Amino acid sequence: MDGLNSFLRYPLEELPFIFIVLVLAFTVHEFAHAYAAYKFGDPTAKQMGRVTLNPRAHLDVLGTILIFIAGFGWAKPVPVNRGRFKYPRLMGIVVSAVGPLSNLLLAFIGVLIVHIIMAAGLLDGASKGVGDAVEVFLTRLVELNLVLFIFNLIPLPPLDGYRIIEDLAPAHIRMRMAQNEQWGIFVFLLLIFVPPLSRVTIQPLFAIGNDILSGMSRFISIFI
């Protein structure tokens, strides 16, 4: 068991909670992309069965496994045909942004639930096991969704942040980006899997999550 724990990013006893949170986070994220694209006039995702909250339509096996090991991962990308949009660049930005924003919303809901539980004393009479289970689930719900929010906004292909930059860029810049996109993917993989590079690039970005969490808590405290 100790050897398996050292291989995994999270404690073994937390894996069921991590799995539930991942299924929820990935499903909502990809559904948000698919639903927005469909509403803006692109039926591609709808025709492929992606406008659904059924996790089986969205989960990627490798991307899900990697988050248990490395702390981050991905789901199946939603196919989007921007040529079907009335305003391709503007609507493309919205379609790209709603995925990460859905994870931010889930994190906010998690923080809100924590405040409600604490303010109402809903777990005061619960057993230690129930209290610990709720704490782990809500902690991971907030933590992982904040990670996915920040991670997906990194401006490297194939992440949503890259697609947003692509739609914002002038035409001549977009052409250069398209020509060099395959190299961007290699840069992305190097930043993830080479620890010295990851420590000075991607990992510091995740510290932003603490600031976002503090802001959420302060905002909710105004009302609860």
Side-chain angles (χ1 to χ4, degrees), residues 11-199:
L12 192 61
E13 62 272 15
E14 293 188 12
L15 293 190
F17 301 102
I18 299 295
F19 180 75
I20 294 170
V21 168
L22 285 179
V23 168
L24 177 63
F26 284 154
T27 299
V28 171
H29 180 111
E30 299 304 332
F31 169 78
H33 284 315
Y35 182 78
Y38 175 62
K39 284 298 182 179
F40 285 152
D42 176 21
T44 307
K46 174 72 171 178
Q47 292 167 354
M48 297 181 68
R50 300 298 301 276
V51 184
T52 177
L53 288 171
N54 183 345
R56 295 179 62 184
H58 303 296
L59 294 185
D60 178 271
V61 175
L62 178 59
T64 303
I65 291 173
L66 187 62
I67 205 163
F68 289 103
I69 300 171
F72 48 82
W74 55 82
K76 296 176 184 176
V78 169
V80 176
N81 183 352
R82 283 166 168 75
R84 299 288 189 95
F85 298 155
K86 185 176 181 180
Y87 304 105
R89 294 177 66 183
L90 175 60
M91 292 178 173
I93 291 170
V94 174
V95 169
S96 295
V98 292
L101 288 175
S102 72
N103 293 123
L104 184 64
L105 176 61
L106 287 174
F108 179 82
I109 291 171
V111 177
L112 178 61
I113 292 172
V114 170
H115 279 260
I116 292 173
I117 289 174
M118 292 177 65
L122 297 179
L123 292 178
D124 288 352
S127 65
K128 185 178 184 303
V130 170
D132 289 347
V134 172
E135 180 182 357
V136 170
F137 173 75
L138 291 174
T139 298
R140 295 310 187 187
L141 176 67
V142 173
E143 176 188 86
L144 285 172
N145 275 287
L146 285 177
V147 166
L148 289 171
F149 168 69
I150 296 167
F151 180 73
N152 277 287
L153 288 179
I154 295 173
L156 286 172
L159 300 175
D160 298 320
Y162 176 82
R163 299 302 170 197
I164 293 172
I165 297 298
E166 187 179 42
D167 282 321
L168 285 171
H172 68 284
I173 299 295
R174 290 202 306 275
M175 289 180 60
R176 290 188 180 182
M177 291 174 69
Q179 292 169 356
N180 296 291
E181 186 170 322
Q182 70 272 24
W183 304 114
I185 293 174
F186 287 114
V187 172
F188 168 72
L189 293 174
L190 284 173
L191 293 180
I192 290 177
F193 292 109
V194 178
L197 292 177
S198 180
R199 280 196 295 269

